[in-house]
Amino acid sequence: MVSEIIGGDMNSPGEADIEPVLNEPVPLRIHHVHGDPRAVLDQVLRDHLHRRLRRVEATDAEFAAGTAAQTVAFTLAGGKRLRSALAWWGWRAGGGPVSGPVAQHALAACASLELLQTCALVHDDVMDGSQTRRGVPCVHRVHEAEHREHGWSGEDRRYGESLAVLVGDLALAWADDMLSGALPGVPRPEEGREVWREMRTEMIAGQFLDVRGQATRSRSESLALRIDLLKTASYTVERPLHLGAAMAGAPPAVIEALRSYGRDVGVAFQFADDLAGAYGDSRATGKPVGDDLREGKTTLLLALGTRIAREEGDAQALELLERVGSGADTAEAAAALERLGAADRVREHCRGLAARGAAHLDGVELPEPVHTHLADLARRIGEGV
Amino acid sequence: MVSEIIGGDMNSPGEADIEPVLNEPVPLRIHHVHGDPRAVLDQVLRDHLHRRLRRVEATDAEFAAGTAAQTVAFTLAGGKRLRSALAWWGWRAGGGPVSGPVAQHALAACASLELLQTCALVHDDVMDGSQTRRGVPCVHRVHEAEHREHGWSGEDRRYGESLAVLVGDLALAWADDMLSGALPGVPRPEEGREVWREMRTEMIAGQFLDVRGQATRSRSESLALRIDLLKTASYTVERPLHLGAAMAGAPPAVIEALRSYGRDVGVAFQFADDLAGAYGDSRATGKPVGDDLREGKTTLLLALGTRIAREEGDAQALELLERVGSGADTAEAAAALERLGAADRVREHCRGLAARGAAHLDGVELPEPVHTHLADLARRIGEGV
């Protein structure tokens, strides 16, 4: 399952005192981060967000207890810290230190990706009209229900979605704030900033194409790949690695290898996610199975299946797949995609891309355990489908 | 009318060559900005956004022609450049130069406020379910209609609102990018960043309270004032002035005077806007008259009127004002607020705050034409109601 792909236990690293980020008066006990960084990233994020929340209480207590607290809770509650961990591996690939004040700033910069992810998820859920996320009701559904229960004025849906838009906006602003507070402490702040700039725009571009493809019921393989490249590969793998490496001052060859790895493995990751969405276990994905098909997302799986059905003159399957997103039975559609061989083709592509991604790393010298970890990640993605 | 309050013709300043911002290869012919900065701010914004758009074309042409182009068009099409101009006056109040590379960076930092404003307006319009903005259909309405015309899949409303959320997200990200590209060139980047951090959170806090007050049909005067302080005073006047002054390195007394001015004049500005919304001319406001009342916004006007009706035992008016936002006739409600004396009380408060705001400037030495301009702005707001 994709949710388990980054797997492994979080480590319990040793501790050492270190300077707090943002010149704030709360000292954070921080670690030498030699192995898996996720536990430390989580701690850095938690510490930062709790300090931020305390400051917001002075702005407005109702807001602090509302949108601000919810932004913090959502960010801390779930997530696999995939993006921030990859940024950290990029940092280490670039030769960044694993302890001391510079490492502390790098950890904060990496962790800021999790706030960006909060924005992406909460806004995406509004755009998809989703019901659940990580196994619990989406932010907009929570507020929609709150509105209904209190019998408040206006429309419950609009209220719920408005509050979710605000949670996403706050997360996006706070992501920038967290990054901006951390960058001055790393070796190459301007290089990191440049990657950040590209990444956010690419993330929004990917979401735009996703929404548009769904509306136009596009079955274009090339559009599906553009979405996968922008929305997943860039934003989830390539740019996080790039961000970490760039702010450490990695040599161009290392950055190029990491980015090539990120594009291939990122697209493979999306293929695995598409397959899990169609055939997986909702306990593992945290989303109802079949959601992508129900919503008519432009995925390579669906685009390929449609092309095969057309090429083979399978009018019944073609008709069914064209109705995906507007009433087709999702289990039936998933079965058709399997029967047509589209699912197997996507599995093959996924494995091929994961292997090619890992191979990009062979041309450069990466410190351990960076190389092992990234190669393992690619392998797990390839083997998981 | 509020839309005319910042009035006056834009100047046509002299030109001089200057370094481009962001190390980009397009030289911008820039100005010595002695008087009204709005024409120059407009030019800086236009130049920056066109360069940004050209870069986005390499990311994805469809996205560049879609959300990105729309974000640029919305930002450039309208707006009075009030916030960016105030930031520039703050900069000058802090002794910032009016020409040369440092001024160029300051202009870009000031102009980034206009992108923030794009996010605020486009997202607010979604949350309010508004029809028009600046006299033309709102962004979400444009896409809703596009969806309907093409007979696309899914719900037209959801599609329109999704695309508007993305326009706002992009504007929020780009605002930060523009500021971050400019700050390294001003005397006090960290001080400017700190104001930026506070401002964006306050803007979102104000919007949260606004949405919440509307849903709960709050008629609380103190809530109305908190919204006015966060959503208008802070974000429209106080923080822009503060941003400009802080990044120039203004002395604490000047910053304090500007912020006090900003709070008072900002709230006065909101009162004037509330009155224009209830009694004004839609050609001047760009929004249909009565929208705030139709939506049941928590304004001091409505809260005061409700209290007066209660104190005077005017059951009929009370019943009418309690139905504001859920079916009350807006013209009737506006007339009742006038008859009860609430409108006159708000006019009085507006004039009083504008005068008190201007008086804050008397305690400090401000260069001309900064003092004259700010005093004029306060006067026009006070006299406009």
Side-chain angles (χ1 to χ4, degrees), chain A residues 22 52 55-56 59-67 119 123-130 140-141 143 146-147 151-155 157-159 161-163 165-174 176-178 180-181 184 190 193-194 196-198 200-209 211-212 214-217 223 226 230 324-326, chain B residues 22 52 55-56 59-67 119 123-130 140-141 143 146-147 151-155 157-159 161-163 165-174 176-178 180-181 184 190 193-194 196-198 200-209 211-212 214-217 223 226 230 324-326:
Chain A
L22 289 181
R52 185 88 211 218
R55 278 171 65 152
V56 167
T59 303
D60 191 273
E62 192 175 344
F63 173 67
T67 295
C119 171
H123 281 184
D124 283 15
D125 284 346
V126 169
M127 296 181 207
D128 292 340
S130 301
H140 64 280
R141 296 293 176 197
H143 290 295
E146 180 193 19
H147 187 282
W152 280 341
S153 187
E155 190 199 22
R157 167 177 163 182
R158 188 166 299 287
Y159 179 80
E161 293 181 0
S162 295
L163 260 61
V165 168
L166 288 172
V167 165
D169 288 351
L170 190 68
L172 182 54
W174 281 11
D176 284 328
D177 290 343
M178 190 174 186
S180 300
E190 279 314 306
R193 167 74 61 191
E194 181 60 28
W196 182 257
R197 180 157 38 215
E198 294 300 315
R200 282 165 22 286
T201 294
E202 286 162 358
M203 169 186 112
I204 296 166
Q207 180 65 7
F208 165 77
L209 294 177
V211 170
R212 179 91 142 212
Q214 206 169 320
T216 61
R217 298 166 70 173
L223 177 63
R226 275 156 64 209
L230 288 165
V324 161
S326 50
Chain B
L22 292 179
R52 185 90 212 218
R55 278 171 65 153
V56 167
T59 304
D60 191 274
E62 192 176 344
F63 174 66
T67 296
C119 171
H123 281 184
D124 283 16
D125 284 346
V126 169
M127 297 181 205
D128 292 342
S130 301
H140 63 281
R141 295 294 176 195
H143 290 295
E146 181 193 19
H147 187 283
W152 281 340
S153 188
E155 190 198 25
R157 167 177 163 183
R158 188 166 300 285
Y159 179 81
E161 292 180 2
S162 295
L163 261 61
V165 168
L166 288 172
V167 165
D169 288 352
L170 189 68
L172 184 54
W174 282 11
D176 194 73
D177 290 342
M178 189 174 186
S180 300
E190 280 313 308
R193 169 70 61 188
E194 179 62 26
W196 182 255
R197 180 159 36 216
E198 294 300 315
R200 285 181 314 159
T201 294
E202 286 162 359
M203 171 186 110
I204 296 166
Q207 180 64 8
F208 165 77
L209 294 177
V211 170
R212 179 93 142 212
Q214 206 169 320
T216 61
R217 297 167 70 174
L223 177 63
R226 275 157 62 209
L230 288 166
V324 161
S326 50

Side-chain angles (χ1 to χ4, degrees), chain A residues 262-339:
Chain A
R263 275 192 294 271
D264 284 344
V265 173
V267 173
F269 183 81
Q270 184 57 53
F271 289 170
D273 200 52
D274 292 346
L275 291 163
Y279 306 104
D281 178 347
S282 70
R283 282 167 304 178
T285 59
K287 292 183 288 189
V289 172
D291 248 17
D292 289 352
L293 289 170
R294 192 165 9 257
E295 293 159 6
K297 294 258 174 211
T298 307
T299 61
L300 186 72
L301 178 64
L302 180 58
L304 257 180
T306 305
R307 175 157 66 87
I308 297 171
R310 189 177 298 114
E311 284 172 359
E312 296 186 351
D314 187 337
Q316 203 181 345
L318 191 61
E319 190 273 339
L320 172 70
L321 296 182
E322 274 169 355
R323 275 193 300 111
V324 161
S326 50
D329 182 85
T330 58
E332 216 182 305
L337 290 166
E338 190 70 83
R339 186 167 39 75

Side-chain angles (χ1 to χ4, degrees), chain B residues 106-119:
Chain B
L107 284 166
C110 295
S112 70
L113 287 167
E114 301 298 335
L115 278 163
L116 205 55
Q117 174 69 351
T118 293
C119 171

Side-chain angles (χ1 to χ4, degrees), chain B residues 18-21 23-29 47 51 54 104:
Chain B
I18 205 157
E19 299 273 292
V21 174
N23 301 321
E24 288 184 9
V26 183
L28 172 66
R29 288 185 70 78
D47 176 78
R51 277 182 290 144
R54 281 197 295 277
Q104 170 73 0

